[in-house]
Amino acid sequence: MSPLLWILVTPLLGGVGIALAGRQPNLREGVTLLTAGALLVQVWMLLPEVLAGARPEAVLFDVVPHVPLAFAVEPLGMIFAAVAGSLWIVNSVYSIGYMRGNKEHNQTRFYLCFAISLSAAMGIAFAGNLFTLFVFYEVLTLSTYPLVTHHGNAAAREGGRTYLGILISTSIALLLTAIVWTWVATGTTDFRPGGILAGAVQGPEVGLLLFLFMFGIGKAALMPIHRWLPAAMVAPTPVSALLHAVAVVKAGVFSVVKVIVYVFGIDLLAAEPSAEWLLYAAGASIIIASLIALQQDNLKRRLAYSTVSQLSYVTLAAAILAPLSVMGAALHIAAHALGKITLFFAAGSIYTAAHKTKVSELNGIGRRMPWTMAAFTIGALSMIGLPPTAGFLSKWYMLMGAYDRAAWFAIGVIMLSTLLNAAYFLPIVYAAFFRKEAPHGHADAHGHGHGHGKGHGHGHHDDHDHGEAPLPIVLALCTTAAGTVLLFFLADVPLSLARQLIGGAP
């Protein structure tokens, strides 16, 4: 069997092992870590080939004539697969600490759905055509739904309905329509460097087809198709990390960049005025989501709206249609993954140790949880785009591409949103390290008592007895924080893949 197909099958085999070991938690979690490790090795073994210019392929069968279920590794897919494969094992270590620390129910189902969603993410990363991408896109939506509704209470069910309703309706009504239109117009759904639509669609058709693709890929959370993302915050923190960093939203923006580069082609979109709307839609999403994030007191909701904003950076960078900005889009997929998973890990760590969910409750928490808040600070600096973090690199390439195209609107959006990012992240860091903790038993300076989060089944703990969260949680968040800095210094691999994406030599 092809190494590509083994990469898709490995998490599914792991899922079977997880289900069989369900009654023995240590064995079950051992199977999870073993599977994640095996996937990591398999994905990274592909890297030297792809860096050398090879494009491994595997074709299963034709679903309808000339539309096969096919897989191929190209530079963008390699970046996405390497990010998802690397972060699954870290997220699994974190999950073990979190799920046990919070005595969560249905842990076997949780790990099983995680494994299936990773297989789906790999299918999306290595999809050789639009049809294969669509199939695995839907599998990813369905396999993450039980994770979103994990707690089983009214809030979880409502969040799950919004999640499933928006993602399924947009993909079937808009994305599938766009794929069929592309197939009818070109006779193929294959991804090809330079695109397949040149000469097949023109004028306003280009803008309309782009609209169907961009809003059909609901996981990219372009406003107003973003509501599923804050709604999914009812899930446990490891799921939020999966949704926001590892698989779901990355599958969205990955698909956006892949469609722009390999279906439309940069040259076709640059020549068509009807495609210009995407730049302004992405810019508006970035600013509006940042302004909403600024008003959120719930930490996970603030991070959720930050994600909506950061995802639109990738769409904006691709919509600038400059080779350097497309490189920036590819780099931001990796940079955002590491930074945002660190922030969600920190939020879960705070919840597990201190049972605090609000920004206004975090005064002085940096003294009790120095590792957690140091990692949070690194993740925040990456989201703002400051060196030495990975977020600086991707913004640098976006700005250089925008300057090349004289895209002054994009430059203005990136600069304004950078200030807004600083405005909603830095006060948290300041309060954690430089403000005094509220006196025991009293509300803090904002008049809030110490909230205990809904639906987690916890009794009240003495918040003033806590230190750091359990070791697996702290280990995981320190690993991803270190990765955020290391990616800044060791950017050669993602940079060379991004260069290949825009047609540069391997």
Side-chain angles (χ1 to χ4, degrees):
M1 194 159 71
S2 151
L4 270 189
L5 298 179
W6 270 117
I7 286 173
L8 301 177
V9 168
T10 296
L12 299 179
L13 292 175
V16 173
I18 288 163
L20 292 174
R23 294 185 180 278
Q24 296 164 276
N26 289 347
L27 181 61
R28 176 190 65 204
E29 277 131 47
V31 172
T32 294
L33 292 173
L34 194 65
T35 309
L39 183 72
L40 177 67
V41 170
Q42 288 173 300
V43 169
W44 281 88
M45 279 172 68
L46 285 176
L47 186 61
E49 280 184 71
V50 179
L51 283 172
R55 300 289 177 263
E57 293 182 357
V59 179
L60 282 183
F61 52 84
D62 278 12
V63 181
V64 296
H66 310 300
V67 181
L69 204 61
F71 305 95
V73 186
E74 45 70 49
L76 186 67
M78 191 68 242
I79 291 175
F80 176 36
V83 166
S86 302
L87 291 180
W88 186 25
I89 194 160
V90 185
N91 204 343
S92 298
V93 171
Y94 181 91
S95 299
I96 291 164
Y98 184 94
M99 301 303 278
R100 291 185 176 193
N102 289 304
K103 299 182 174 57
E104 294 282 0
H105 301 293
N106 299 318
Q107 291 189 28
T108 301
R109 185 183 72 192
F110 169 89
Y111 290 110
L112 173 62
C113 289
F114 238 93
I116 297 168
S117 66
L118 257 293
S119 177
M122 293 299 140
I124 291 168
F126 296 143
N129 57 39
L130 282 166
F131 176 76
T132 308
L133 180 77
F134 179 79
V135 169
F136 283 94
Y137 183 97
E138 298 297 78
V139 172
L140 183 60
T141 302
L142 296 171
S143 60
T144 47
Y145 171 74
L147 293 169
V148 172
T149 58
H150 179 83
H151 290 305
N153 54 22
R157 284 194 296 272
E158 188 183 341
R161 273 196 299 274
T162 305
Y163 179 79
L164 202 59
I166 291 175
L167 291 184
I168 293 283
S169 60
T170 52
S171 64
I172 289 175
L174 304 178
L175 179 57
L176 191 56
T177 304
I179 292 170
V180 171
W181 184 355
T182 302
W183 184 54
V184 170
T186 64
T188 183
T189 63
D190 289 353
F191 294 117
R192 288 185 196 147
I196 56 175
L197 285 167
V201 291
Q202 55 198 356
E205 280 185 341
V206 176
L208 179 56
L209 186 54
L210 186 67
F211 176 90
L212 292 174
F213 270 115
M214 294 300 107
F215 287 108
I217 301 169
K219 291 186 176 78
L222 198 60
M223 287 184 160
I225 315 287
H226 69 287
R227 277 186 48 246
W228 64 270
L229 217 159
M233 287 299 92
V234 292
T237 302
V239 177
S240 303
L242 172 82
L243 296 176
H244 289 257
V246 182
V248 179
V249 296
K250 287 301 164 302
V253 288
F254 162 79
S255 302
V256 161
V257 179
K258 196 151 179 169
V259 163
I260 286 173
V261 174
Y262 293 123
V263 177
F264 285 93
I266 292 173
D267 294 340
L268 171 66
L269 291 177
E272 284 293 351
S274 65
E276 286 176 6
W277 66 267
L278 182 59
L279 187 72
Y280 299 102
S285 286
I286 290 171
I287 300 301
I288 294 167
S290 297
L291 290 169
I292 297 172
L294 203 51
Q295 298 166 353
Q296 303 303 313
D297 189 35
N298 181 289
L299 181 55
K300 277 176 71 176
R301 279 187 73 81
R302 185 174 293 199
L303 295 178
Y305 279 103
S306 163
T307 298
V308 174
S309 173
Q310 294 284 335
L311 291 177
S312 291
Y313 270 126
V314 179
T315 306
L316 179 85
I320 291 168
L321 302 174
L324 286 172
S325 68
V326 172
M327 282 179 70
L331 288 170
H332 202 64
I333 289 174
H336 177 259
L338 282 163
K340 188 51 63 78
I341 200 169
T342 304
L343 291 167
F344 272 103
F345 279 177
S349 177
I350 293 164
Y351 178 76
T352 304
H355 304 283
K356 297 180 195 296
T357 56
K358 293 180 177 161
V359 172
S360 55
E361 298 168 350
L362 301 183
N363 289 357
I365 200 162
R367 295 189 197 103
R368 290 183 178 275
M369 306 181 72
W371 289 100
T372 295
M373 290 316 297
F376 184 96
T377 304
I378 291 169
L381 293 177
S382 189
M383 294 300 97
I384 296 165
L386 295 174
T389 62
F392 172 77
L393 283 179
S394 49
K395 276 198 182 175
W396 178 260
Y397 278 93
M398 286 178 205
L399 284 168
M400 287 206 300
Y403 183 75
D404 277 358
R405 285 272 184 200
W408 305 115
F409 171 78
I411 290 171
V413 165
I414 292 169
M415 292 175 79
L416 175 59
S417 63
T418 297
L419 294 174
L420 290 170
N421 290 341
Y424 63 70
F425 276 129
L426 294 183
I428 300 175
V429 175
Y430 178 82
F433 287 110
F434 299 109
R435 284 223 173 110
K436 282 204 171 121
E437 203 170 354
H440 187 30
H442 291 272
D444 55 36
H446 295 261
H448 293 285
H450 294 304
H452 284 256
K454 289 178 186 171
H456 291 261
H458 296 292
H460 287 257
H461 294 253
D462 187 344
D463 289 348
H464 282 250
D465 288 341
H466 76 83
E468 287 285 3
L471 182 62
I473 291 181
V474 178
L475 202 61
L477 60 86
C478 288
T479 302
T480 55
T484 303
V485 176
L486 279 174
L487 190 59
F488 175 83
F489 291 105
L490 305 174
D492 291 355
V493 169
L495 273 174
S496 55
L497 288 169
R499 227 171 263 121
Q500 286 188 33
L501 171 66
I502 59 167

PDB file of all heavy atoms in Angstrom, residues 249-271:
ATOM      1  N   VAL A 249     -10.142  24.652  11.471  1.00  0.00           N
ATOM      2  CA  VAL A 249      -9.976  25.950  10.802  1.00  0.00           C
ATOM      3  C   VAL A 249      -8.786  25.926   9.844  1.00  0.00           C
ATOM      4  O   VAL A 249      -8.777  26.606   8.816  1.00  0.00           O
ATOM      5  CB  VAL A 249      -9.829  27.122  11.806  1.00  0.00           C
ATOM      6  CG1 VAL A 249     -11.090  27.285  12.632  1.00  0.00           C
ATOM      7  CG2 VAL A 249      -8.616  26.948  12.708  1.00  0.00           C
ATOM      8  N   LYS A 250      -7.769  25.116  10.169  1.00  0.00           N
ATOM      9  CA  LYS A 250      -6.631  25.003   9.249  1.00  0.00           C
ATOM     10  C   LYS A 250      -7.069  24.348   7.944  1.00  0.00           C
ATOM     11  O   LYS A 250      -6.595  24.698   6.868  1.00  0.00           O
ATOM     12  CB  LYS A 250      -5.498  24.194   9.893  1.00  0.00           C
ATOM     13  CG  LYS A 250      -4.764  24.939  10.974  1.00  0.00           C
ATOM     14  CD  LYS A 250      -4.141  26.221  10.442  1.00  0.00           C
ATOM     15  CE  LYS A 250      -3.746  27.160  11.542  1.00  0.00           C
ATOM     16  NZ  LYS A 250      -4.804  27.587  12.429  1.00  0.00           N
ATOM     17  N   ALA A 251      -7.984  23.361   8.050  1.00  0.00           N
ATOM     18  CA  ALA A 251      -8.533  22.747   6.833  1.00  0.00           C
ATOM     19  C   ALA A 251      -9.249  23.805   5.999  1.00  0.00           C
ATOM     20  O   ALA A 251      -9.181  23.789   4.763  1.00  0.00           O
ATOM     21  CB  ALA A 251      -9.495  21.626   7.206  1.00  0.00           C
ATOM     22  N   GLY A 252      -9.898  24.755   6.686  1.00  0.00           N
ATOM     23  CA  GLY A 252     -10.609  25.825   5.985  1.00  0.00           C
ATOM     24  C   GLY A 252      -9.675  26.742   5.214  1.00  0.00           C
ATOM     25  O   GLY A 252      -9.810  26.905   3.997  1.00  0.00           O
ATOM     26  N   VAL A 253      -8.708  27.338   5.908  1.00  0.00           N
ATOM     27  CA  VAL A 253      -7.835  28.306   5.221  1.00  0.00           C
ATOM     28  C   VAL A 253      -6.879  27.601   4.256  1.00  0.00           C
ATOM     29  O   VAL A 253      -6.516  28.160   3.216  1.00  0.00           O
ATOM     30  CB  VAL A 253      -7.059  29.211   6.213  1.00  0.00           C
ATOM     31  CG1 VAL A 253      -8.006  30.210   6.844  1.00  0.00           C
ATOM     32  CG2 VAL A 253      -6.314  28.414   7.261  1.00  0.00           C
ATOM     33  N   PHE A 254      -6.500  26.356   4.568  1.00  0.00           N
ATOM     34  CA  PHE A 254      -5.709  25.567   3.632  1.00  0.00           C
ATOM     35  C   PHE A 254      -6.474  25.406   2.318  1.00  0.00           C
ATOM     36  O   PHE A 254      -5.921  25.599   1.227  1.00  0.00           O
ATOM     37  CB  PHE A 254      -5.404  24.197   4.256  1.00  0.00           C
ATOM     38  CG  PHE A 254      -4.966  23.148   3.277  1.00  0.00           C
ATOM     39  CD1 PHE A 254      -3.666  23.128   2.798  1.00  0.00           C
ATOM     40  CD2 PHE A 254      -5.859  22.189   2.831  1.00  0.00           C
ATOM     41  CE1 PHE A 254      -3.254  22.163   1.888  1.00  0.00           C
ATOM     42  CE2 PHE A 254      -5.457  21.216   1.920  1.00  0.00           C
ATOM     43  CZ  PHE A 254      -4.156  21.203   1.448  1.00  0.00           C
ATOM     44  N   SER A 255      -7.776  25.062   2.434  1.00  0.00           N
ATOM     45  CA  SER A 255      -8.600  24.882   1.231  1.00  0.00           C
ATOM     46  C   SER A 255      -8.744  26.183   0.454  1.00  0.00           C
ATOM     47  O   SER A 255      -8.742  26.178  -0.780  1.00  0.00           O
ATOM     48  CB  SER A 255      -9.986  24.336   1.615  1.00  0.00           C
ATOM     49  OG  SER A 255      -9.858  23.109   2.310  1.00  0.00           O
ATOM     50  N   VAL A 256      -8.866  27.302   1.169  1.00  0.00           N
ATOM     51  CA  VAL A 256      -8.959  28.613   0.515  1.00  0.00           C
ATOM     52  C   VAL A 256      -7.711  28.875  -0.339  1.00  0.00           C
ATOM     53  O   VAL A 256      -7.798  29.229  -1.519  1.00  0.00           O
ATOM     54  CB  VAL A 256      -9.141  29.738   1.570  1.00  0.00           C
ATOM     55  CG1 VAL A 256      -8.790  31.109   0.998  1.00  0.00           C
ATOM     56  CG2 VAL A 256     -10.580  29.740   2.092  1.00  0.00           C
ATOM     57  N   VAL A 257      -6.534  28.700   0.265  1.00  0.00           N
ATOM     58  CA  VAL A 257      -5.279  28.960  -0.466  1.00  0.00           C
ATOM     59  C   VAL A 257      -5.129  27.973  -1.623  1.00  0.00           C
ATOM     60  O   VAL A 257      -4.742  28.347  -2.738  1.00  0.00           O
ATOM     61  CB  VAL A 257      -4.051  28.871   0.480  1.00  0.00           C
ATOM     62  CG1 VAL A 257      -2.760  29.119  -0.291  1.00  0.00           C
ATOM     63  CG2 VAL A 257      -4.181  29.891   1.621  1.00  0.00           C
ATOM     64  N   LYS A 258      -5.490  26.706  -1.375  1.00  0.00           N
ATOM     65  CA  LYS A 258      -5.349  25.676  -2.412  1.00  0.00           C
ATOM     66  C   LYS A 258      -6.238  25.994  -3.619  1.00  0.00           C
ATOM     67  O   LYS A 258      -5.809  25.850  -4.768  1.00  0.00           O
ATOM     68  CB  LYS A 258      -5.711  24.309  -1.817  1.00  0.00           C
ATOM     69  CG  LYS A 258      -5.229  23.146  -2.667  1.00  0.00           C
ATOM     70  CD  LYS A 258      -4.944  21.913  -1.833  1.00  0.00           C
ATOM     71  CE  LYS A 258      -4.486  20.770  -2.718  1.00  0.00           C
ATOM     72  NZ  LYS A 258      -3.951  19.632  -1.985  1.00  0.00           N
ATOM     73  N   VAL A 259      -7.465  26.428  -3.368  1.00  0.00           N
ATOM     74  CA  VAL A 259      -8.400  26.773  -4.454  1.00  0.00           C
ATOM     75  C   VAL A 259      -7.884  27.991  -5.235  1.00  0.00           C
ATOM     76  O   VAL A 259      -7.915  28.014  -6.467  1.00  0.00           O
ATOM     77  CB  VAL A 259      -9.813  27.021  -3.884  1.00  0.00           C
ATOM     78  CG1 VAL A 259     -10.697  27.763  -4.878  1.00  0.00           C
ATOM     79  CG2 VAL A 259     -10.464  25.697  -3.485  1.00  0.00           C
ATOM     80  N   ILE A 260      -7.386  28.997  -4.518  1.00  0.00           N
ATOM     81  CA  ILE A 260      -6.889  30.203  -5.189  1.00  0.00           C
ATOM     82  C   ILE A 260      -5.674  29.890  -6.061  1.00  0.00           C
ATOM     83  O   ILE A 260      -5.576  30.342  -7.205  1.00  0.00           O
ATOM     84  CB  ILE A 260      -6.575  31.312  -4.156  1.00  0.00           C
ATOM     85  CG1 ILE A 260      -7.882  31.909  -3.628  1.00  0.00           C
ATOM     86  CG2 ILE A 260      -5.687  32.421  -4.752  1.00  0.00           C
ATOM     87  CD1 ILE A 260      -7.726  32.902  -2.488  1.00  0.00           C
ATOM     88  N   VAL A 261      -4.754  29.072  -5.541  1.00  0.00           N
ATOM     89  CA  VAL A 261      -3.499  28.799  -6.266  1.00  0.00           C
ATOM     90  C   VAL A 261      -3.678  27.733  -7.346  1.00  0.00           C
ATOM     91  O   VAL A 261      -3.180  27.886  -8.463  1.00  0.00           O
ATOM     92  CB  VAL A 261      -2.389  28.369  -5.276  1.00  0.00           C
ATOM     93  CG1 VAL A 261      -1.124  27.947  -6.014  1.00  0.00           C
ATOM     94  CG2 VAL A 261      -2.067  29.514  -4.316  1.00  0.00           C
ATOM     95  N   TYR A 262      -4.401  26.636  -7.018  1.00  0.00           N
ATOM     96  CA  TYR A 262      -4.429  25.467  -7.901  1.00  0.00           C
ATOM     97  C   TYR A 262      -5.710  25.330  -8.734  1.00  0.00           C
ATOM     98  O   TYR A 262      -5.767  24.476  -9.623  1.00  0.00           O
ATOM     99  CB  TYR A 262      -4.240  24.188  -7.101  1.00  0.00           C
ATOM    100  CG  TYR A 262      -2.872  24.037  -6.464  1.00  0.00           C
ATOM    101  CD1 TYR A 262      -2.730  23.855  -5.088  1.00  0.00           C
ATOM    102  CD2 TYR A 262      -1.712  24.059  -7.245  1.00  0.00           C
ATOM    103  CE1 TYR A 262      -1.476  23.701  -4.505  1.00  0.00           C
ATOM    104  CE2 TYR A 262      -0.456  23.908  -6.675  1.00  0.00           C
ATOM    105  CZ  TYR A 262      -0.345  23.732  -5.308  1.00  0.00           C
ATOM    106  OH  TYR A 262       0.904  23.578  -4.734  1.00  0.00           O
ATOM    107  N   VAL A 263      -6.767  26.067  -8.409  1.00  0.00           N
ATOM    108  CA  VAL A 263      -8.010  25.982  -9.197  1.00  0.00           C
ATOM    109  C   VAL A 263      -8.176  27.240 -10.055  1.00  0.00           C
ATOM    110  O   VAL A 263      -8.315  27.167 -11.276  1.00  0.00           O
ATOM    111  CB  VAL A 263      -9.244  25.751  -8.291  1.00  0.00           C
ATOM    112  CG1 VAL A 263     -10.531  25.750  -9.120  1.00  0.00           C
ATOM    113  CG2 VAL A 263      -9.106  24.421  -7.546  1.00  0.00           C
ATOM    114  N   PHE A 264      -8.159  28.407  -9.418  1.00  0.00           N
ATOM    115  CA  PHE A 264      -8.269  29.659 -10.180  1.00  0.00           C
ATOM    116  C   PHE A 264      -6.929  30.030 -10.821  1.00  0.00           C
ATOM    117  O   PHE A 264      -6.866  30.355 -12.001  1.00  0.00           O
ATOM    118  CB  PHE A 264      -8.723  30.808  -9.267  1.00  0.00           C
ATOM    119  CG  PHE A 264     -10.173  30.745  -8.905  1.00  0.00           C
ATOM    120  CD1 PHE A 264     -10.581  30.106  -7.745  1.00  0.00           C
ATOM    121  CD2 PHE A 264     -11.139  31.325  -9.725  1.00  0.00           C
ATOM    122  CE1 PHE A 264     -11.922  30.033  -7.410  1.00  0.00           C
ATOM    123  CE2 PHE A 264     -12.484  31.264  -9.402  1.00  0.00           C
ATOM    124  CZ  PHE A 264     -12.873  30.608  -8.237  1.00  0.00           C
ATOM    125  N   GLY A 265      -5.880  29.988 -10.025  1.00  0.00           N
ATOM    126  CA  GLY A 265      -4.583  30.492 -10.479  1.00  0.00           C
ATOM    127  C   GLY A 265      -4.494  31.981 -10.177  1.00  0.00           C
ATOM    128  O   GLY A 265      -5.460  32.738 -10.374  1.00  0.00           O
ATOM    129  N   ILE A 266      -3.350  32.394  -9.668  1.00  0.00           N
ATOM    130  CA  ILE A 266      -3.166  33.793  -9.257  1.00  0.00           C
ATOM    131  C   ILE A 266      -3.350  34.747 -10.435  1.00  0.00           C
ATOM    132  O   ILE A 266      -3.972  35.805 -10.309  1.00  0.00           O
ATOM    133  CB  ILE A 266      -1.764  33.973  -8.614  1.00  0.00           C
ATOM    134  CG1 ILE A 266      -1.709  33.235  -7.273  1.00  0.00           C
ATOM    135  CG2 ILE A 266      -1.440  35.443  -8.395  1.00  0.00           C
ATOM    136  CD1 ILE A 266      -0.344  33.209  -6.639  1.00  0.00           C
ATOM    137  N   ASP A 267      -2.853  34.357 -11.616  1.00  0.00           N
ATOM    138  CA  ASP A 267      -2.910  35.259 -12.783  1.00  0.00           C
ATOM    139  C   ASP A 267      -4.343  35.540 -13.218  1.00  0.00           C
ATOM    140  O   ASP A 267      -4.687  36.675 -13.551  1.00  0.00           O
ATOM    141  CB  ASP A 267      -2.117  34.661 -13.956  1.00  0.00           C
ATOM    142  CG  ASP A 267      -0.629  34.577 -13.642  1.00  0.00           C
ATOM    143  OD1 ASP A 267      -0.187  35.300 -12.722  1.00  0.00           O
ATOM    144  OD2 ASP A 267       0.084  33.798 -14.300  1.00  0.00           O
ATOM    145  N   LEU A 268      -5.193  34.502 -13.220  1.00  0.00           N
ATOM    146  CA  LEU A 268      -6.600  34.686 -13.618  1.00  0.00           C
ATOM    147  C   LEU A 268      -7.301  35.656 -12.669  1.00  0.00           C
ATOM    148  O   LEU A 268      -7.987  36.593 -13.106  1.00  0.00           O
ATOM    149  CB  LEU A 268      -7.329  33.337 -13.618  1.00  0.00           C
ATOM    150  CG  LEU A 268      -8.855  33.404 -13.815  1.00  0.00           C
ATOM    151  CD1 LEU A 268      -9.208  33.915 -15.205  1.00  0.00           C
ATOM    152  CD2 LEU A 268      -9.497  32.042 -13.577  1.00  0.00           C
ATOM    153  N   LEU A 269      -7.126  35.459 -11.347  1.00  0.00           N
ATOM    154  CA  LEU A 269      -7.799  36.317 -10.361  1.00  0.00           C
ATOM    155  C   LEU A 269      -7.265  37.753 -10.428  1.00  0.00           C
ATOM    156  O   LEU A 269      -8.025  38.711 -10.279  1.00  0.00           O
ATOM    157  CB  LEU A 269      -7.627  35.751  -8.948  1.00  0.00           C
ATOM    158  CG  LEU A 269      -8.378  34.437  -8.665  1.00  0.00           C
ATOM    159  CD1 LEU A 269      -8.071  33.930  -7.267  1.00  0.00           C
ATOM    160  CD2 LEU A 269      -9.886  34.612  -8.838  1.00  0.00           C
ATOM    161  N   ALA A 270      -5.950  37.887 -10.660  1.00  0.00           N
ATOM    162  CA  ALA A 270      -5.351  39.233 -10.720  1.00  0.00           C
ATOM    163  C   ALA A 270      -5.885  40.021 -11.923  1.00  0.00           C
ATOM    164  O   ALA A 270      -5.967  41.249 -11.885  1.00  0.00           O
ATOM    165  CB  ALA A 270      -3.836  39.122 -10.798  1.00  0.00           C
ATOM    166  N   ALA A 271      -6.270  39.300 -12.979  1.00  0.00           N
ATOM    167  CA  ALA A 271      -6.736  39.973 -14.204  1.00  0.00           C
ATOM    168  C   ALA A 271      -8.231  40.269 -14.180  1.00  0.00           C
ATOM    169  O   ALA A 271      -8.739  40.960 -15.073  1.00  0.00           O
ATOM    170  CB  ALA A 271      -6.403  39.098 -15.413  1.00  0.00           C
TER     171      ALA A 271
END
